[in-house]
Amino acid sequence: NAGVTQTPKFQVLKTGQSMTLQCAQDMNHNSMYWYRQDPGMGLRLIYYSASEGTTDKGEVPNGYNVSRLNKREFSLRLESAAPSQTSVYFCASSEGGAGLYEQYFGPGTRLTVT
Amino acid sequence: AQKVTQAQTEISVVEKEDVTLDCVYETRDTTYYLFWYKQPPSGELVFLIRRNSFDEQNEISGRYSWNFQKSTSSFNFTITASQVVDSAVYFCASCFDDYKLSFGAGTTVTVRA
């Protein structure tokens, strides 16, 4: 069991470039999440997918889009990267709702936008 | 809206000392969930504990213990006889609807040998 995997691990973008962060889980979980972690701010929820076929905004969705490709995969897209999006991005999954089930996190993607 | 505050930014202790991490939450809900996660230097977040608002029983797991007090809206975490491997960032979090976790800013714990 790989758990939650994320690609790439590191990425450097120029302002205005686009990219997609990939996330996959092999635990047959229903719910998946994208967070960003910035120094001194903890993790903030960008988007989540409660179940296959649904996505919803979290706390900081502006500048991002997501796709729940199937039950295993949940991607995060930056259409036009900005320096403010420099951060560490974490994908997570859980069997069901965040209150009732623990979330399992991937190793993170460190993104720098210059 | 729910909010989680971890007032301690950094704590440094010598091995074998006890360390307590504070977590204070704000909510108007009667049903909510509280969590602690650990983020070691490797970067991945590791789940430690989940507690619902109806269960105020304290919990002990090895050298870890948690004190949940609704009267003071606190969910504090104590590491007893700390070890160097306990060095990490610890996050307190709350769930204010079924799918949204709200994290505190984290407390960095450094345990010196």
Side-chain angles (χ1 to χ4, degrees):
Chain A
N1 262 0
V4 179
T5 57
Q6 292 182 234
T7 55
K9 285 190 168 49
F10 301 94
Q11 183 71 48
V12 178
L13 291 178
K14 288 185 168 40
T15 297
Q17 288 184 319
S18 62
M19 79 160 296
T20 299
L21 280 65
Q22 306 287 354
C23 174
Q25 51 92 8
D26 63 1
M27 296 173 281
N28 201 35
H29 284 171
N30 291 307
S31 305
M32 297 185 73
Y33 313 82
W34 277 106
Y35 293 89
R36 58 177 290 172
Q37 182 179 18
D38 301 296
M41 300 190 72
L43 279 79
R44 291 181 292 169
L45 183 64
I46 304 171
Y47 271 94
Y48 67 97
S49 170
S51 60
E52 189 178 354
T54 70
T55 60
D56 282 287
K57 295 178 181 179
E59 187 183 349
V60 288
N62 290 346
Y64 305 95
N65 284 302
V66 290
S67 294
R68 183 76 184 266
L69 304 168
N70 47 55
K71 192 170 186 181
R72 287 188 64 246
E73 298 171 288
F74 189 37
S75 62
L76 178 72
R77 182 159 178 84
L78 286 70
E79 291 290 352
S80 178
S84 60
Q85 294 178 304
T86 293
S87 188
V88 180
Y89 291 85
F90 287 97
C91 178
S93 71
S94 63
E95 193 174 334
L100 295 174
Y101 300 93
E102 68 173 276
Q103 292 186 13
Y104 293 80
F105 285 79
T109 294
R110 189 173 294 274
L111 175 67
T112 302
V113 183
T114 61
Chain B
Q2 290 204 173
K3 182 181 171 185
V4 173
T5 301
Q6 295 180 255
Q8 304 147 307
T9 306
E10 294 183 31
I11 300 175
S12 182
V13 297
V14 176
E15 213 169 15
K16 297 184 184 171
E17 286 184 355
D18 296 348
V19 57
T20 295
L21 310 182
D22 298 332
C23 173
V24 174
Y25 61 92
E26 296 173 28
T27 182
R28 293 180 190 163
D29 296 340
T30 54
T31 302
Y32 52 89
Y33 303 89
L34 301 169
F35 300 78
W36 276 94
Y37 279 85
K38 174 182 179 180
Q39 185 176 40
S42 60
E44 283 191 51
L45 279 92
V46 177
F47 167 82
L48 295 177
I49 191 172
R50 167 184 166 272
R51 185 55 99 219
N52 72 53
S53 53
F54 300 108
D55 183 1
E56 282 194 78
Q57 217 171 3
N58 290 334
E59 174 131 351
I60 298 175
S61 176
R63 295 183 297 104
Y64 293 172
S65 62
W66 290 269
N67 183 358
F68 177 27
Q69 291 196 337
K70 286 174 78 170
S71 60
T72 55
S73 298
S74 65
F75 186 42
N76 296 338
F77 171 35
T78 297
I79 304 172
T80 302
S82 60
Q83 300 176 2
V84 172
V85 292
D86 296 325
S87 296
V89 183
Y90 292 87
F91 292 97
C92 182
S94 66
C95 183
F96 60 90
D97 69 25
D98 281 343
Y99 292 94
K100 295 180 184 176
L101 271 187
S102 180
F103 283 81
T107 299
T108 300
V109 173
T110 303
V111 182
R112 309 186 308 276

